[in-house]
Amino acid sequence: MLELAIFQTGPTDLPSVAAEGIRVNSGSLAQTHESFQRQVVTQVRQGVLAEELGFNYCFPTEHHFQPEGVECSPNPLFMEMAIAARTKRIRLGQMANILSWHHPLRLAEQAAMLDVFSGGRLEFGVGRGYQSRETETLGGPLGTTVQDQERNRAFFEEAFQILLKAWTEPSFSHQGEFFSLPPTYTKWNHSQTMAYFNQPQVERNVDDVLNVGPPDMYSMGAPVYASTTTLKEISVYPQPLQKPHPQIWQPVTSARSIDWAAIRGANCFTIPEPNSRAKVNVDRYYEQLDKHGWPDRLNRKEPFKFGWDSEKGRGFPVARYIHVLPRGKEKEDLQRYKEGLEVAWPFFSPFGFGAILADADEPPFPPDMKITADLTIEKEIVIVGTADEVVEKVLRLKETVGYDDFLLPGWFEMGGYSGEEIEEQMRTFAADCVPQLAKACGGLKVNPDVAPNLEVGEPVAVS
């Protein structure tokens, strides 16, 4: 079975220019701001179009502060609220919400609101953040340089634990290295709270949620604070509709991240690895799943299909840039598309992504190696060509990795192209490529209709 997704980073629609031996965004800062105002609206429009074209998932990223023009997606949950209100079927994922940039309880609330409002269509992505300009601005000491990596990872893992508690436990506490929830000093001598938890149907009692103490002789004023009574537990509202919690996703490049996701039953997602390296990573993920008892949030014990399992919505898809060259304009459009790639990869490569463009039987490329558009096309990270050539390359990915079912996240955006041009790319792919891909994969999965949840119903367990 075939499933489709769009992957979105929000590159600028401004043209690029060669400067100091590198291609860069050609706009002034004012023009770049105007471009990104257009782009955030365009991303919503593309999410709605994706549903109309039969796509199953939408995966925007989270990125900030980029005058280079490569990525603008500062709030994927907020953006997908707009998509949710205009759609009924497409599932709403993020690649990813960067946990080190958020308080985990605030993020838990916002994500749960999207799940409730969409009728249970949230696919929740988690990540650690790899760009110092973003992480050290929004995350303070949780940096991305070598000396900060373990601190960043420890925060990420603790925040993940808190998210799951917030979504699955009606009332909870947490004491960790970074968070004490609620704080041990939080005074809460509130008569209404006591009355509520003295009711038998609540299933928690006053002693569970409060450490009741005598009056505080040093406090004056309101009775909530004029006591030594402190809060022991907290409840987070709303919780997601999906039970026990929405599917979790993590973008990965390292073996350590693949293992972490597999052990916790989270889906993996990757982009820059060539087909041979993707196979190695997917094999590793499934080996870890098997080793740890096929962890699954719905406690399904039967084995998952390899690579991707459409019925369970579970596995390790590999995203690809996709671009179908327009008939009669192949040469000129290919050159323009390459110019967009020549803006993107000089931005990504210095963070280490260029190194993993090497095939599995090659050593990693040197970190200072120039990554050209031609190299990304040669490695089939970028799938560009006629419709038939695009289909051939996509199916080569499927066969090389060995997918049973097949989820293809397509990255249709490219710097220098307008939103309307990107939408035409999506339409062309859907019309000229998807029928061939669906035939080769045993059909195209159609998501069920789930109207935006303006009338709240029963909690749901969505595979």
Side-chain angles (χ1 to χ4, degrees):
M1 189 66 68
L2 173 68
E3 292 188 85
L4 300 169
I6 59 168
F7 178 72
Q8 297 173 297
T9 61
T12 179
D13 55 6
L14 297 171
S16 62
V17 64
E20 299 182 12
I22 191 171
R23 292 204 73 85
V24 297
N25 164 26
S26 66
S28 66
L29 281 174
Q31 289 171 324
T32 303
H33 281 291
E34 292 170 358
S35 171
F36 282 149
Q37 289 167 351
R38 291 190 295 272
Q39 289 303 85
V40 294
V41 174
T42 293
Q43 287 186 304
V44 172
R45 197 170 64 222
Q46 290 169 2
V48 176
L49 175 62
E51 173 170 292
E52 295 173 3
L53 297 175
F55 285 71
N56 306 90
Y57 297 84
C58 175
F59 288 119
T61 58
E62 181 182 1
H63 283 292
H64 307 259
F65 317 136
Q66 294 192 13
E68 298 85 2
V70 177
E71 299 172 302
C72 177
S73 186
N75 196 325
L77 293 171
F78 193 88
M79 185 186 82
E80 289 187 325
M81 285 290 283
I83 296 172
R86 295 162 172 82
T87 57
K88 295 183 178 181
R89 295 185 303 278
I90 195 163
R91 298 192 63 79
L92 304 165
Q94 309 85 42
M95 287 298 150
N97 300 287
I98 307 304
L99 301 193
S100 58
W101 304 343
H102 302 274
H103 192 290
L105 295 188
R106 194 77 177 106
L107 191 59
E109 292 173 335
Q110 292 172 348
M113 288 180 69
L114 176 57
D115 194 57
V116 170
F117 189 72
S118 67
R121 289 186 280 147
L122 172 66
E123 303 280 320
F124 189 74
V126 297
R128 294 199 300 116
Y130 67 89
Q131 296 183 23
S132 56
R133 180 172 57 191
E134 296 173 318
T135 301
E136 292 167 13
T137 300
L138 296 174
L142 301 169
T144 58
T145 50
V146 172
Q147 64 269 29
D148 294 323
Q149 280 290 320
E150 294 309 316
R151 184 190 300 118
N152 182 306
R153 189 180 295 275
F155 181 97
F156 169 82
E157 293 182 358
E158 184 173 338
F160 180 78
Q161 294 172 12
I162 293 168
L163 279 161
L164 294 188
K165 285 183 178 182
W167 285 345
T168 60
E169 299 182 21
S171 180
F172 72 94
S173 63
H174 173 89
Q175 281 75 46
E177 186 173 359
F178 296 93
F179 293 96
S180 180
L181 303 171
T184 57
Y185 52 80
T186 300
K187 291 190 173 184
W188 198 256
N189 185 46
H190 204 299
S191 58
Q192 192 174 45
T193 304
M194 295 178 182
Y196 175 77
F197 282 102
N198 273 324
Q199 298 178 100
Q201 77 275 13
V202 173
E203 299 177 348
R204 303 292 286 165
N205 60 46
V206 170
D207 290 336
D208 292 325
V209 299
L210 294 175
N211 184 15
V212 179
D216 183 357
M217 63 179 291
Y218 298 104
S219 294
M220 300 291 292
V224 170
Y225 309 116
S227 168
T228 57
T229 298
T230 54
L231 195 61
K232 292 168 60 178
E233 290 189 349
I234 198 165
S235 299
V236 175
Y237 299 98
Q239 289 187 332
L241 282 183
Q242 296 179 82
K243 300 300 179 184
H245 57 78
Q247 194 80 278
I248 305 296
W249 295 73
Q250 186 184 15
V252 298
T253 55
S254 71
R256 185 176 180 182
S257 294
I258 292 169
D259 293 351
W260 186 92
I263 290 168
R264 289 157 183 80
N267 290 343
C268 283
F269 184 102
T270 193
I271 298 169
E273 287 86 350
N275 294 353
S276 61
R277 190 177 291 271
K279 175 172 174 51
V280 170
N281 288 339
V282 174
D283 285 349
R284 183 185 185 97
Y285 176 73
Y286 272 78
E287 289 167 4
Q288 290 294 325
L289 286 178
D290 192 36
K291 180 179 178 181
H292 293 279
W294 297 86
D296 174 55
R297 79 198 198 294
L298 296 180
N299 296 316
R300 294 165 290 195
K301 302 301 181 184
E302 67 276 13
F304 292 89
K305 292 181 180 179
F306 183 79
W308 180 251
D309 188 323
S310 289
E311 181 181 352
K312 299 181 177 69
R314 176 68 188 281
F316 190 158
V318 177
R320 289 291 183 254
Y321 289 90
I322 293 177
H323 189 81
V324 182
L325 296 172
R327 294 184 182 92
K329 298 182 179 179
E330 291 90 345
K331 185 175 181 179
E332 60 193 90
D333 189 53
L334 178 58
Q335 179 57 38
R336 182 185 174 196
Y337 190 74
K338 285 182 177 181
E339 289 178 359
L341 289 170
E342 297 281 6
V343 175
W345 276 91
F347 183 80
F348 296 134
S349 182
F351 295 107
F353 290 113
I356 55 177
L357 287 180
D359 277 285
D361 59 356
E362 296 179 299
F365 291 149
D368 59 348
M369 176 177 169
K370 182 178 180 180
I371 304 301
T372 64
D374 286 333
L375 178 62
T376 64
I377 294 171
E378 174 192 335
K379 294 294 185 179
E380 296 189 3
I381 304 301
V382 176
I383 294 179
V384 58
T386 65
D388 288 344
E389 288 170 339
V390 167
V391 169
E392 178 186 355
K393 293 174 183 179
V394 167
L395 291 178
R396 184 154 51 238
L397 167 64
K398 178 184 184 299
E399 295 305 316
T400 300
V401 177
Y403 284 106
D404 290 334
D405 294 332
F406 186 42
L407 169 57
L408 174 66
W411 192 352
F412 297 95
E413 297 172 318
M414 182 52 62
Y417 285 78
S418 69
E420 290 77 12
E421 289 176 308
I422 294 166
E423 288 152 28
E424 186 57 32
Q425 269 294 313
M426 293 170 61
R427 292 188 182 95
T428 299
F429 176 77
D432 296 348
C433 301
V434 170
Q436 297 181 65
L437 293 171
K439 183 178 180 181
C441 297
L444 177 64
K445 182 178 178 181
V446 178
N447 290 359
D449 279 2
V450 182
N453 200 14
L454 301 179
E455 296 182 7
V456 176
E458 294 296 319
V460 294
V462 179
S463 64

